[in-house]
Amino acid sequence: MNTLPDRVEGVLFDLDGTLLDSAPDLYAALVRQCVEEEVAPPDFAIVRAVVSRGSRAILRCAFGDRGEAGVEALVPRYLALYEQAMAEDTHAFDGIEALLGTLEQRGIRWGVVTNKPGFLTDPLLDRIGWSARAAAVVSGDTLPVKKPDPAPVRLACDTAGIDPSRSLFVGDDRRDVQAGAAAGLYTVAVRWGYLDGGDPDTWQADAVIDHPGQLLRLLAPEVSA
């Protein structure tokens, strides 16, 4: 377990389920594909629970009986449907905008490390209005490996110009904790995300929080709301 740095230089975040509630648009794309394929769509709650696992896991919720080859064949169309309207109902979780704004005011750089492919990550951040604000953005295909491998986190630290030993990684998935810890960052698991059906208290994160405001309190007195 790491000790909270006495002087924090940067905070890196997972994207979907940590900064953004993107499940509504991911689900809407699946519903549109179900209409095209004449298949009854699954309940939203079933899909939301697997959002962190990516498009194939989402597709399995509706088309799992087609086998892996059948699911794989549906991926390009699903991604195209999602890309068309991926910011219609996607929004920052309550408290995130205040958190990011306070970090910026305090000169603490923040960035994104996501397993989402770059052709979706970049335009989504642009539509949300965060592209120019993030000090680093590392997508799932930026490197040959993705989380839980620590390489994307290390790259984000290099890009943002922050020392891993003086930085935090915040995420809603066990893979976020694994990647952040292996890269030498203080890890924070959040309970408000998708969680992939897991319990954040079992992920061996350095801290577990229920609301973005708690991260500011964790960083106090250096950062305060």
Side-chain angles (χ1 to χ4, degrees):
M1 302 291 281
N2 293 321
T3 302
L4 183 69
D6 57 0
R7 181 175 60 83
V8 175
E9 293 182 1
V11 182
L12 301 177
F13 298 91
D14 172 54
L15 186 59
D16 299 286
T18 301
L19 292 177
L20 294 178
D21 186 2
S22 51
D25 286 328
L26 289 162
Y27 178 69
L30 179 64
V31 170
R32 288 193 288 271
Q33 192 160 15
C34 286
V35 171
E36 292 181 354
E37 297 287 331
E38 299 182 345
V39 170
D43 291 339
F44 173 70
I46 294 173
V47 177
R48 188 184 190 279
V50 303
V51 161
S52 293
R53 299 187 215 169
S55 57
R56 289 161 184 81
I58 293 171
L59 285 165
R60 288 187 199 105
C61 294
F63 305 104
D65 59 346
R66 299 189 183 186
E68 288 306 299
V71 168
E72 192 67 31
L74 294 167
V75 170
R77 179 56 180 162
Y78 174 74
L79 293 179
L81 288 168
Y82 173 62
E83 186 179 13
Q84 289 171 10
M86 62 181 170
E88 284 190 357
D89 292 312
T90 292
H91 58 274
F93 284 103
D94 289 345
I96 289 295
E97 280 290 358
L99 168 61
L100 298 181
T102 302
L103 293 178
E104 291 165 352
Q105 290 169 10
R106 299 288 176 170
I108 296 177
R109 282 158 282 182
W110 65 270
V112 171
V113 182
T114 176
N115 282 353
K116 203 182 197 83
F119 82 94
L120 296 175
T121 302
D122 294 339
L124 177 57
L125 290 177
D126 188 55
R127 294 178 197 180
I128 296 295
W130 290 351
S131 294
R133 297 171 61 185
V137 177
V138 178
S139 298
D141 53 359
T142 302
L143 296 174
V145 294
K146 61 181 69 175
K147 299 176 297 183
D149 194 287
V153 180
R154 294 191 183 114
L155 176 60
C157 288
D158 290 343
T159 303
I162 56 178
D163 182 346
S165 69
R166 293 191 175 278
S167 302
L168 283 63
F169 193 90
V170 184
D172 73 314
D173 191 281
R174 183 189 296 271
R175 291 167 294 183
D176 298 319
V177 174
Q178 292 170 333
L185 285 73
Y186 184 91
T187 57
V188 180
V190 306
R191 289 196 180 96
W192 63 77
Y194 305 136
L195 308 181
D196 197 18
D199 178 4
D201 290 306
T202 68
W203 297 346
Q204 296 185 308
D206 298 308
V208 182
I209 60 176
D210 297 295
H211 186 274
Q214 287 183 277
L215 185 61
L216 294 177
R217 291 194 288 274
L218 183 67
L219 296 176
E222 182 169 351
V223 176
S224 59

